Amino acid sequence: MRILVVEDNRTLADGLAAVLRVAGYAVDVVHDGVSADAVLSAESFDLVVLDLSLPEMDGLEVLRRLRAKRNTSSVLILTARGALDERVKGLDLGADDYMTKPFEVSELEARIRVLLRRRAGLHSARVAFGDIELDTTTRTLSAFGQTLDIPARELSVLETLLFRAGRVVTKQAIIESLAGFDEDLSENAVELYVSRLRRRLAPYALTVRVARGLGYYLDRIID
């Protein structure tokens, strides 16, 4: 899952990005409204964490422009501006949630998980496919009650496929879910992660299939 943090306090922005990366998200950071508007016009994100008091362009204007372009990225406003009329305005402009500073990181992470599940059309923190189950709260994978040890990058690929189970996921979508715009991740790397995933999933009668020219999708292995 790919997140954009829009925050002019660089210390806070870097701290948030570090926490979210440890949680397994691909995170990009910008520090002003004009940069945010430009990035959101050119890149795709699952979630935007948006401050309102931004230099060069106010966060509410960034949000207004985002929705005017029919961009459906989830938006979590994170700001010191906690007055009721500010919250109402932000929600009316299309924000999905609103938190005021100071805040607890654990609550922010929980709200992000809820928004990402909602975006994927999920109603539970646990996502199952065949005999495997992913707990999106702890980001642990299990099968038959046993936790499976799986590297972070492969787990992120699997999470992207699980969140879109039944649909083909393009290589580009997988790349975007793994890396920010300052990280060069090749299609060959995605193919390597998918190959390793196939070996890990085989004991559970699951595989990652190729839709030629389109991308990948999870499927069951039927004898």
Side-chain angles (χ1 to χ4, degrees), residues 60 63 67 77 85-95:
L60 289 176
L63 176 59
R67 295 310 189 213
I77 291 176
D85 60 336
E86 293 279 1
R87 297 200 301 273
V88 170
K89 187 180 295 184
L91 294 170
D92 281 345
L93 282 174

Side-chain angles (χ1 to χ4, degrees), residues 175-216:
I175 288 172
E176 290 177 356
S177 73
L178 295 176
F181 44 60
D182 58 350
E183 182 179 355
D184 186 18
L185 187 68
S186 69
E187 292 191 357
N188 288 340
V190 171
E191 291 171 3
L192 177 61
Y193 296 140
V194 167
S195 176
R196 290 173 177 171
L197 263 181
R198 286 195 186 103
R199 291 197 296 271
R200 294 183 188 280
L201 295 175
Y204 310 102
L206 297 175
T207 190
V208 181
R209 299 199 190 278
V210 177
R212 298 215 174 270
L214 298 174
Y216 301 100

Side-chain angles (χ1 to χ4, degrees), residues 71-208:
N71 188 310
T72 60
S73 298
S74 297
V75 175
L76 169 60
I77 291 176
L78 183 64
T79 181
R81 287 155 56 173
L84 177 60
D85 60 336
E86 293 279 1
R87 297 200 301 273
V88 170
K89 187 180 295 184
L91 294 170
D92 281 345
L93 282 174
D96 299 277
D97 201 355
Y98 197 113
M99 285 186 71
T100 56
K101 303 171 184 175
F103 60 93
E104 294 293 334
V105 171
S106 58
E107 182 183 0
L108 175 67
E109 290 184 291
R111 292 193 185 212
I112 285 173
R113 289 193 295 268
V114 169
L115 290 176
L116 291 175
R117 287 201 302 269
R118 186 185 301 164
R119 178 175 173 81
L122 304 173
H123 305 288
S124 170
R126 295 179 176 272
V127 186
F129 190 88
D131 294 324
I132 63 170
E133 183 178 76
L134 176 68
D135 186 326
T136 60
T137 301
T138 60
R139 295 195 84 246
T140 54
L141 188 69
S142 62
F144 307 115
Q146 298 296 314
T147 300
L148 306 181
D149 186 21
I150 179 170
R153 278 291 171 89
E154 292 172 41
L155 183 61
S156 293
V157 173
L158 180 58
E159 180 182 51
T160 300
L161 294 170
L162 280 170
F163 274 28
R164 296 165 173 82
R167 291 174 286 169
V168 174
V169 182
T170 66
K171 283 185 181 179
Q172 186 59 38
I174 292 175
I175 288 172
E176 290 177 356
S177 73
L178 295 176
F181 44 60
D182 58 350
E183 182 179 355
D184 186 18
L185 187 68
S186 69
E187 292 191 357
N188 288 340
V190 171
E191 291 171 3
L192 177 61
Y193 296 140
V194 167
S195 176
R196 290 173 177 171
L197 263 181
R198 286 195 186 103
R199 291 197 296 271
R200 294 183 188 280
L201 295 175
Y204 310 102
L206 297 175
T207 190
V208 181

